[in-house]
Amino acid sequence: MTTTTADLPVVVIGAGPVGLAAAAHLVERGITPLILESGPVPASAVRDWSHVRLFSTWGELTDPAAEKLLAPTGWTRPDAAAYPSGGDWAEQYLEPLAVALGDRLRLGTTVTGVSRTGRDRIVDADRESQPFVVHLTTADGSEERVFARAVIDASGTWTTPSPAGASGLAALGERAAGDRITYRVPDLDDPAVRARYAGRRIAVIGSGASAFTALAVLAALAKDEPGTHAVWILRRGISGSTFGGGQADQLPARGALGLAAKAAVDQGHADAVTGFRTEAVERADDGRIVLVAEDGRRLDPVDEVIVLTGFRPDLSFLSEVRLGLDERLQAPTELAPLIDPNQHSCGTVYPHGHRELSHPETGVYLVGMKSYGRAPTFLAMTGYEQVRSVAAAIAGDLEAADRVELTLPETGVCGGAGLFDAPAAESEGGGCCAAPEPALVQLGAGAVAADETPAGGCCGS
């Protein structure tokens, strides 16, 4: 029997929320997915921030096609109004979904290259009729290749955080000081992590939701551990929107993050340093860290640095396929104007699908966080709509692929400053990839006016 390109599977790179949803939509359309996950378990990246509470509810975190796939297994959907942690999301939804997908998922498998069979990126002749070839490395170090009719890259950006350096490059000395720098929101329920920060002076670099989260958890630590103090470093100034867009945020848990960060400053648990663009990371005589700005300012030494300046896509394994990417955001060319923080720090990201995600190389799609390149504020339900459309396009159902089946919050790319009352704060929290359990806090006076307003963001800078 002759095998044609149409008989081959669609390779899905990454077994996170959007990758697993993509596989579910392909299965629903009778197309075989092959999911390649580099981690040892499904949703490995989500599990890395299992301690963090999302600012989306369960009702916004499950995909319809995935729910259909789960239904015969006896899976019960969690309370749609509740806010899960990353660990809850992984254990109660993503793990069961991975199990339902069965042998369509391969773990411990790292994609090292994608190309057209027998065609590097230069060759035009007969290109689109050739299947994709995907090179991979398995957990034992062996190399393989698989062939595919299409490739959906849902590998995300978690493994490539942006550096402290304001130029987009690592600051001078940043790598050498790696023993005192982390690029993740700390899990203070871990005794070893708690001991690392308790009673210490900690710099937090960033102005998005992840930075808000870090300030909030460090402020909570300061109440129990005297001497704990944060230095919040912003590349821009503080303005009325630094802490979010007020109660206009339709994701109130996300909005509460801004208030939690403001409370950390107002209550004296953090000092804000504005207009500081980090150029160098130096060692003090006692081994602590001194941050140096481009304008020559030097901060007092800190014990630890938490860098939360966003993420960027790893495009290295896609070098042999022809991608159409925005020169600034590294997002698909048609999508970039919808999400560009240079154009809007607060506004709607319109639902979008295969047309905005297409590339000159037909059959390759970057979806999920990967599709946003360096832009912040990605929502899971945006990714679910993306892969619904992409799966329909791969199946040849362009009518369904072009149809919009999602309504996003009007503040789709806003930061926010919504409020929770105290009882709700005990069970509800927020964070796209980072959030505390916010309590009601009082707004202080005295925000300093600034000429620049930082872009809001899920894990943005």
Side-chain angles (χ1 to χ4, degrees):
M1 181 177 176
T2 302
T3 299
T4 66
T5 298
D7 297 322
L8 295 173
V10 173
V11 163
V12 179
I13 306 174
V18 178
L20 293 175
H25 281 277
L26 291 168
V27 169
E28 187 174 48
R29 289 189 167 272
I31 299 172
T32 300
L34 175 59
I35 314 147
L36 304 177
E37 165 61 40
S38 61
V41 292
S44 293
V46 174
R47 294 174 197 269
D48 278 352
W49 48 271
S50 60
H51 59 292
V52 170
R53 194 169 300 274
L54 288 96
F55 54 56
S56 295
T57 64
W58 270 117
E60 298 157 338
L61 293 170
T62 59
D63 173 79
E67 289 192 21
K68 291 178 184 177
L69 192 63
L70 284 166
T73 71
W75 176 80
T76 301
R77 185 186 190 190
D79 179 3
Y83 292 84
S85 66
D88 296 334
W89 201 16
E91 293 168 13
Q92 298 178 39
Y93 169 65
L94 299 173
E95 176 70 30
L97 179 55
V99 171
L101 286 163
D103 60 7
R104 304 178 184 96
L105 169 62
R106 290 185 58 178
L107 299 172
T109 305
T110 301
V111 173
T112 58
V114 178
S115 187
R116 290 280 188 178
T117 303
R119 307 288 189 276
D120 63 22
R121 67 180 296 151
I122 298 175
V123 178
D124 290 333
D126 199 28
R127 184 177 190 86
E128 291 196 6
S129 67
Q130 302 303 312
F132 290 96
V133 59
V134 180
H135 284 219
L136 52 92
T137 302
T138 60
D140 64 5
S142 61
E143 294 180 292
E144 298 179 25
R145 66 177 180 177
V146 297
F147 298 95
R149 61 185 288 186
V151 176
I152 299 175
D153 182 358
S155 60
T157 57
W158 180 250
T159 60
T160 47
S162 295
S167 62
L169 304 174
L172 299 178
E174 183 173 345
R175 295 187 181 90
D179 59 317
R180 290 181 181 258
I181 299 176
T182 184
Y183 300 85
R184 306 285 186 249
V185 175
D187 179 5
L188 298 184
D189 289 331
D190 182 324
V193 175
R194 188 179 184 88
R196 176 175 178 174
Y197 295 100
R200 304 296 179 90
R201 179 177 167 87
I202 306 125
V204 177
I205 305 177
S207 60
S210 295
F212 289 173
T213 301
L215 292 168
V217 299
L218 291 174
L221 179 64
K223 296 174 183 177
D224 297 329
E225 300 287 349
T228 305
H229 192 79
V231 180
W232 184 20
I233 299 173
L234 299 101
R235 293 172 180 169
R236 299 180 175 93
I238 293 179
S239 72
S241 61
T242 295
F243 300 99
Q247 296 189 25
D249 199 316
Q250 292 189 13
L251 295 177
R254 175 177 61 187
L257 285 172
L259 293 181
K262 192 172 195 312
V265 176
D266 289 346
Q267 295 170 6
H269 300 304
D271 298 321
V273 178
T274 61
F276 192 97
R277 300 179 180 273
T278 306
E279 182 176 73
V281 177
E282 299 179 355
R283 292 274 189 178
D285 292 340
D286 59 4
R288 293 194 296 166
I289 298 298
V290 175
L291 298 176
V292 183
E294 292 175 348
D295 60 9
R297 279 184 292 166
R298 302 171 64 88
L299 299 185
D300 292 338
V302 296
D303 299 288
E304 299 285 343
V305 181
I306 302 174
V307 179
L308 300 168
T309 54
F311 295 85
R312 55 186 57 180
D314 177 7
L315 301 168
S316 61
F317 58 87
L318 299 173
S319 61
E320 292 305 315
V321 291
R322 299 171 177 180
L323 301 180
L325 297 175
D326 180 76
E327 62 186 9
R328 294 164 298 171
L329 298 184
Q330 296 178 297
T333 304
E334 295 300 316
L335 175 60
L338 302 180
I339 60 176
D340 187 353
N342 289 297
Q343 302 301 320
H344 48 76
S345 62
C346 181
T348 299
V349 176
Y350 298 100
H352 52 275
H354 74 110
R355 295 195 184 278
E356 292 84 357
L357 299 171
S358 294
H359 295 275
E361 192 80 70
T362 303
V364 173
Y365 300 93
L366 276 57
V367 299
M369 282 290 295
K370 186 78 171 271
S371 73
Y372 269 41
R374 300 192 184 199
T377 320
F378 178 81
L379 298 176
M381 54 187 170
T382 299
Y384 296 157
E385 173 69 358
Q386 288 179 341
V387 296
R388 182 204 63 77
S389 173
V390 166
I394 292 172
D397 185 354
L398 293 183
E399 180 182 356
D402 289 335
R403 190 166 57 238
V404 174
E405 296 186 5
L406 172 67
T407 300
L408 288 169
E410 291 181 4
T411 51
V413 293
C414 279
L419 288 170
F420 281 113
D421 58 25
E426 295 177 2
S427 61
E428 296 179 346
C432 167
C433 36
E437 297 183 357
L440 180 67
V441 297
Q442 298 299 316
L443 288 172
V448 178
D451 293 331
E452 290 186 278
T453 301
C458 162
C459 300
S461 59

